[in-house]
Amino acid sequence: MHVETLVRMANQIGTFFEAMPDRPAALEEMAQHIRRFWEPRMRQQLMAHVDQGGDGLGLMAQEAILRHGDSLR
């Protein structure tokens, strides 16, 4: 899958969870969503993109991935 597609999907998920009032819980739930519904290759590709700077990722997606990235690898 193209990394641009993964970035767009992560940002859409981030937009959904950004509405939650409890930010730490929202970040955890976003990471759980990616862990549950994305196949390992997609997660690995997203993590590689983050390791290279994460261009295009929104703040919510960046923060969730950086805080909970170990569980996404």
Side-chain angles (χ1 to χ4, degrees):
M1 185 172 286
H2 294 286
V3 73
E4 295 85 7
T5 302
L6 297 174
V7 167
R8 187 183 78 247
M9 291 168 57
N11 286 337
Q12 289 172 336
I13 296 165
T15 298
F16 175 82
F17 285 106
E18 204 164 33
M20 292 179 63
D22 182 350
R23 186 139 179 114
L27 295 169
E28 171 63 29
E29 288 189 36
M30 181 177 172
Q32 284 180 10
H33 177 88
I34 291 172
R35 201 170 29 251
R36 254 187 250 131
F37 297 108
W38 287 28
E39 52 179 67
R41 288 178 298 175
M42 294 168 65
R43 294 194 312 261
Q44 291 168 357
Q45 194 173 358
L46 180 65
M47 295 307 297
H49 180 68
V50 169
D51 291 342
Q52 295 174 355
D55 288 342
L57 282 171
L59 294 176
M60 185 72 175
Q62 284 180 3
E63 191 174 350
I65 292 166
L66 291 174
R67 282 194 186 194
H68 302 287
D70 289 342
S71 66
L72 298 177
R73 293 189 188 267

